[in-house]
Amino acid sequence: MAETTGQQGISFRRYTPEDLRACTRLAEEAWPPGSDLAAKIEVSWGMEGYIESSLMNANWTEIAYDSQGVVGFLFGRIDKYRGEVAVPGSLFGELPTLAKYVVGKYRKTPGILALFWTLLLTELKLKVNMPRSDAEIRLFIVDSKHRGKGIGGMLIDRFLHTARDAGSTLVTVYTDDKTSNWQFYEKYGFRRVGTFHDNVTSYFCNVDSTGMIYVLDLKKAQATA
Ligand SMILES: CC(C)(COP(=O)(O)OP(=O)(O)OC[C@H]1O[C@@H](n2cnc3c(N)ncnc32)[C@H](O)[C@@H]1OP(=O)(O)O)[C@@H](O)C(=O)NCCC(=O)NCCS
């Protein structure tokens, strides 16, 4: 795909497997483990699994980069968009991919089994609470050194623009109240429609955390734009 240059020397392209390490680094930095878990395991393998599982069913995998490398990314699903071929998800959602990394590598580590259990609980809660949508933000991070410069705004604008053009009506996203900048979504017109005790974030960060589901009604957003 042709590269697209945005403002401030930032360009955009599709994700390739060579980006896995850079995306993992950004995720590790955005979501550091609590000291309890950090003492038990090396988290980077789990994060690689998290990145790969977020790529499942994602047919919008955009990398923002500058001359130094990857500065942010947004992976999402847009049902009617035919631009990229998504890696198909499995019947059990993201769990098999995560298990490949997490349980496979650390099967003798009690901390990792507990983490996997909390992932399973959160996955189930998402299945119950997440409204059906025709577009979804699956993973979205900007390098902390580059935040506040408009890169996240460009990434989400490009995703929403494509979703709208493809005829999507409802965008969903799962986030949490402790480790993510969920206020960003409210600025973009997303509405909170569900909350639940977020087992995986609570365990991972060793802090009680609430999972939140946000939706954006693209028809309404267009009417008020
Ligand atoms: C959320 C995130 C992607 C935003 O990226 P960013 O590049 O800093 O965002 P931008 O600089 O493009 O900001 C765009 C707008 O959102 C606003 N904004 C950004 N972060 C915000 C926050 N935490 N709270 C409220 N508003 C915020 C900015 O003020 C800006 O508004 P303006 O256009 O009126 O100036 C980034 O903070 C991040 O990666 N956070 C960690 C991971 C995360 O939370 N991911 C999303 C939730 S899962």
Side-chain angles (χ1 to χ4, degrees):
M1 189 178 75
E3 295 180 0
T4 321
T5 304
Q7 302 154 21
Q8 305 164 5
I10 303 296
S11 303
F12 300 91
R13 60 170 168 76
R14 283 182 193 170
Y15 170 90
T16 67
E18 288 74 48
D19 296 315
L20 180 60
R21 199 49 233 146
C23 294
T24 302
R25 184 183 57 75
L26 264 55
E28 282 168 0
E29 184 198 45
W31 297 305
S35 53
D36 273 19
L37 191 66
K40 286 180 196 149
I41 57 162
E42 175 218 331
V43 172
S44 62
W45 271 75
M47 273 301 184
E48 283 191 12
Y50 185 56
I51 303 286
E52 286 214 325
S53 64
S54 301
L55 283 162
M56 289 168 71
N57 290 328
N59 62 347
W60 176 265
T61 63
E62 192 159 71
I63 296 282
Y65 65 101
D66 66 8
S67 55
Q68 307 292 309
V70 175
V71 295
F73 61 94
L74 190 156
F75 301 155
R77 162 180 66 82
I78 303 173
D79 285 353
K80 294 176 194 146
Y81 174 62
R82 296 286 165 250
E84 295 179 39
V85 180
V87 177
S90 81
L91 189 61
F92 302 101
E94 300 170 0
L95 292 171
T97 305
L98 286 163
K100 183 180 90 181
Y101 281 94
V102 174
V103 183
K105 185 164 165 70
Y106 294 108
R107 59 188 173 278
K108 293 193 181 121
T109 310
I112 208 72
L113 286 175
L115 177 62
F116 191 69
W117 170 243
T118 63
L119 272 165
L120 178 67
L121 287 176
T122 301
E123 185 78 13
L124 287 172
K125 287 180 184 180
L126 282 173
K127 289 254 181 295
V128 171
N129 288 292
M130 189 72 101
R132 281 181 82 86
S133 69
D134 45 18
E136 179 192 2
I137 295 172
R138 293 181 58 74
L139 194 56
F140 175 30
I141 304 178
V142 169
D143 188 330
S144 62
K145 292 190 291 298
H146 293 274
R147 287 183 198 156
K149 298 180 187 169
I151 298 170
M154 286 192 274
L155 281 165
I156 201 163
D157 281 346
R158 294 165 63 84
F159 175 78
L160 295 179
H161 184 82
T162 306
R164 203 174 269 124
D165 270 6
S168 306
T169 54
L170 193 74
V171 184
T172 46
V173 62
Y174 150 60
T175 184
D176 74 273
D177 67 336
K178 291 296 186 313
T179 69
S180 299
N181 287 328
W182 51 272
Q183 301 91 335
F184 176 93
Y185 292 119
E186 296 192 348
K187 180 174 169 53
Y188 280 82
F190 283 73
R191 213 164 32 88
R192 193 186 305 175
V193 294
T195 57
F196 54 89
H197 173 66
D198 190 331
N199 299 77
V200 69
T201 307
S202 301
Y203 183 75
F204 189 81
C205 300
N206 200 21
V207 57
D208 215 18
S209 171
T210 300
M212 301 186 289
I213 293 169
Y214 274 91
V215 304
L216 179 69
D217 181 332
L218 282 174
K219 281 193 189 142
K220 272 195 199 155
Q222 196 160 30
T224 55

